[in-house]
Amino acid sequence: MTNPANEQLLKLHYILPLSWEKVRNLMKITDDFDEILHISPKFLASQLNIREEKAAQLIKHYKELIQRSMAIYYDQHNITPIPYADPLYPERLKQLYDAPAVVYAQGDVQLLNRPKMMAVIGSRAATSYSENVLKSILPPLIREQYIIVSGLAKGADRLAHEATIRYGGKTIGVLGHGLFHNYPPQNKELNAYMASEHLLITEYPPYVGVQKWHFPARNRIISGLCEALVVTEAALKSGTLITTELALEQGKDVFAVPGNIFSEQSRGTNKLIKEGAIPVWDGFQILEEIQLFSNSR
């Protein structure tokens, strides 16, 4: 039987993908979200820190969903919604100050409970250097049962997912849009395969499309899920470096692969090493460093 509180949260989040912090603010008023139908838009807006017009739309659309079963809706689309209080919700994500109130998953949701996760990211314009690096980086991690997490973007992300699959590992793709969409288009087959045999997750309800500002937000989930992060290639100005900054803010270890000083796609990683990232060129080094860190903590 569906938990009524979860049903209410799924309705609310379907209309407006709030962070858990904002949901908690609403819970200070009422634990019964159906009560928002009787709250003024002005008061609701003040509690959620949104515009009054947006609050009015939220109330209107919530009323339209009141008789609908979100559990049945998601089941029909093979999507598993994971509310914050669900046992499947990753503990590491709860450490984020703006943790999603709901995570939407497609595939093997048990992967979220696996203790060892490593983010592997890099440039969308990754060269064959990243491809060769992954041959050295990934097999030792996979043998140690690490789940490889990346963003299913073109370039290094795609290479990381594909190499993990090729070496018999398990991988999680973190999306910056809803599960009804495929982006980028060239990853359509990989997307479908991972949704079946591995795992896709997102903080956005399935209908939400691609918006450029979603991807920096997506990056905090990539780093948040993992105990450490590996960067294969990155230009000096790139989203990859934003992700590494988030990882460092979250207290995660950052590993960077050194590269040719004349290669644009290695300037970012070389800079990371100068600033304190740990230089690595094979997976055994990463395992040794993690063991060293765990022993010293």
Side-chain angles (χ1 to χ4, degrees), residues 49-272:
N49 193 26
I50 59 178
R51 298 191 312 274
E52 187 174 339
E53 179 187 357
K54 200 166 190 177
Q57 288 294 311
L58 172 57
I59 295 168
K60 174 179 178 289
H61 292 310
Y62 192 95
K63 187 175 183 179
E64 293 168 356
L65 287 179
I66 200 77
Q67 298 301 324
R68 188 173 186 178
S69 168
M70 300 307 294
I72 291 174
Y73 170 75
Y74 287 122
D75 188 58
Q76 288 171 339
H77 293 286
N78 296 315
I79 293 171
T80 303
I82 306 172
Y84 188 91
D86 192 291
L88 281 173
Y89 192 98
E91 284 298 321
R92 283 196 180 110
L93 287 190
K94 291 184 178 181
Q95 308 308 311
L96 299 178
Y97 77 91
D98 55 352
V102 180
V103 171
Y104 301 89
Q106 209 165 39
D108 184 0
V109 293
Q110 296 306 320
L111 294 180
L112 287 174
N113 288 321
R114 299 276 283 272
K116 296 180 178 180
M117 293 193 192
M118 182 72 62
V120 179
I121 62 170
S123 172
R124 283 181 168 84
T127 69
S128 58
Y129 184 64
S130 277
E131 193 168 3
N132 288 327
V133 159
L134 292 173
K135 295 175 184 177
S136 180
I137 294 284
L138 290 182
L141 297 176
I142 290 168
R143 280 196 291 272
E144 289 298 316
Q145 304 299 310
Y146 271 89
I147 308 299
I148 304 303
V149 180
S150 199
L152 204 58
K154 63 182 180 179
D157 288 11
R158 175 177 178 146
L159 291 173
H161 292 305
E162 289 180 332
T164 301
I165 293 166
R166 190 164 58 248
Y167 294 127
K170 287 293 184 177
T171 187
I172 297 174
V174 184
L175 309 180
H177 51 80
L179 288 162
F180 287 167
H181 300 270
N182 286 299
Y183 183 82
Q186 56 265 46
N187 284 357
K188 185 176 181 179
E189 287 185 15
L190 177 61
N191 190 308
Y193 182 77
M194 288 178 60
S196 171
E197 304 299 324
H198 296 266
L199 183 65
L200 301 180
I201 66 168
T202 178
E203 65 181 309
Y204 300 103
Y207 66 87
V208 174
V210 178
Q211 301 289 346
K212 63 181 180 180
W213 59 85
H214 288 172
F215 293 98
R218 179 274 312 264
N219 293 344
R220 85 193 191 288
I221 295 179
I222 293 175
S223 57
L225 278 174
C226 301
E227 61 184 279
L229 182 145
V230 182
V231 187
T232 62
E233 288 183 284
L236 283 174
K237 293 182 179 180
S238 68
T240 301
L241 297 189
I242 295 172
T243 312
T244 61
E245 289 171 9
L246 291 168
L248 290 169
E249 287 173 9
Q250 294 163 4
K252 307 298 174 71
D253 301 319
V254 174
F255 301 98
V257 179
N260 187 326
I261 62 171
F262 301 108
S263 168
E264 179 62 33
Q265 298 307 322
S266 284
R267 289 183 178 180
T269 46
N270 291 340
K271 182 172 182 285
L272 286 173

Side-chain angles (χ1 to χ4, degrees), residues 5-24:
N6 281 350
E7 263 292 323
Q8 292 179 345
L9 176 57
L10 293 179
K11 287 181 173 70
L12 180 71
H13 200 265
Y14 183 86
I15 301 162
L16 188 62
L18 299 168
S19 68
W20 180 243
E21 189 63 32
K22 287 191 174 182
V23 170
R24 284 202 305 181

